[in-house]
Amino acid sequence: MAKKPQSASIGQIRIIGGKWRGRKLPVRDSEGLRPTTDRIKETLFNWLMPIVRDARCLDCFAGSGSLGFEALSRFADHVTFIELEKQNSQLLTENKARLQADNATIVQGNSLAVLAQTGTPFDVVFIDPPFRKGLLLETIQLLEKNQWLADESWIYVESEAESPLTNIPTNWQLHREKIAGQVAYRLFIRHSIEETSHAN
């Protein structure tokens, strides 16, 4: 008997902390989608514990929404999800409804095109682009250039362990970093450029 195509098969992500702890949400099994593992997510949100409550968060390559929904579960004020794939975006909207997360905004579109416009400042930004597509540097530059970042903001970057992270803005300070298998994950604190220049 022929197997059905697996392209739209459904998996799950789990919210690991906060008001929705233990809730499981469906996610599509689509090419390039790598939901952040529970282990990495737990470490990241331990790092962000003093910051995430009441924060305005931006999930630049939302995919499954794993990071953004985790932030909402931990009482972030608002999360904006940007997702290119239409079906993933629809599922984010359905999961928003499942959780009754009225403080979530789903934007379906190309992240770089969205970030090329003038933004409003966010306190916490998640950057977890598809690997080996060369999207990371341009994302960072657009966030910095187009006012998407609060004067003091926290930026999470997940990238290939084999690729050095270069050309980071001078006003971004590396706060924490770890490598798990083929994934490098880092948390930066961004200070305003004026504050950085006074410190020098």
Side-chain angles (χ1 to χ4, degrees):
M1 191 172 164
K3 284 188 176 179
K4 290 182 181 176
Q6 291 294 306
S7 58
S9 65
I10 296 289
Q12 287 183 325
I13 55 166
R14 187 170 64 93
I15 295 175
I16 59 173
K19 62 185 174 184
W20 300 321
R21 181 178 183 172
R23 284 289 295 271
K24 292 179 179 175
L25 298 173
V27 296
R28 289 179 67 250
D29 180 16
S30 58
E31 186 183 352
L33 192 66
R34 290 174 300 95
T36 299
T37 66
D38 282 1
R39 181 178 152 209
I40 293 177
K41 199 160 52 170
E42 185 166 12
T43 302
L44 167 62
F45 280 91
N46 284 341
W47 293 346
L48 286 173
M49 194 181 296
I51 311 304
V52 75
R53 180 180 282 269
D54 299 326
R56 288 177 48 77
C57 306
L58 176 64
D59 195 347
C60 291
F61 298 88
S64 67
S66 176
L67 296 176
F69 286 125
E70 190 72 39
L72 287 171
S73 183
R74 294 167 188 253
F75 304 99
D77 180 62
H78 189 275
V79 176
T80 297
F81 298 79
I82 307 174
E83 172 54 31
L84 175 61
E85 293 289 336
K86 189 172 182 180
Q87 288 175 300
N88 289 342
S89 180
Q90 286 171 342
L91 194 50
L92 288 172
T93 301
E94 291 167 18
N95 285 336
K96 169 186 169 174
R98 281 185 182 94
L99 296 170
Q100 298 180 321
D102 296 334
N103 52 343
T105 300
I106 317 296
V107 178
Q108 197 249 311
N110 180 300
S111 297
L112 298 182
V114 174
L115 298 176
Q117 304 165 44
T118 302
T120 54
F122 286 88
D123 307 304
V124 176
V125 176
F126 303 110
I127 311 174
D128 179 14
F131 280 4
R132 302 175 185 89
K133 303 269 189 191
L135 297 168
L136 192 53
L137 179 58
E138 190 174 351
T139 301
I140 289 169
Q141 290 171 338
L142 290 171
L143 285 166
E144 188 65 48
K145 175 184 171 187
N146 293 325
Q147 295 149 42
W148 290 94
L149 302 171
D151 281 349
E152 181 169 299
S153 47
W154 296 69
I155 301 110
Y156 171 72
V157 178
E158 195 170 309
S159 59
E160 311 91 322
E162 77 268 14
S163 300
L165 207 52
T166 55
N167 297 309
I168 295 297
T170 55
N171 56 322
W172 289 26
Q173 172 192 344
L174 181 62
H175 178 62
R176 294 282 175 86
E177 72 176 324
K178 281 195 171 186
I179 292 179
Q182 299 183 347
V183 177
Y185 55 109
R186 300 173 174 92
L187 185 64
F188 292 89
I189 307 174
R190 177 203 190 263
H191 302 284
S192 69
I193 289 173
E194 293 81 4
E195 194 180 319
T196 309
S197 59
H198 288 321
N200 292 335

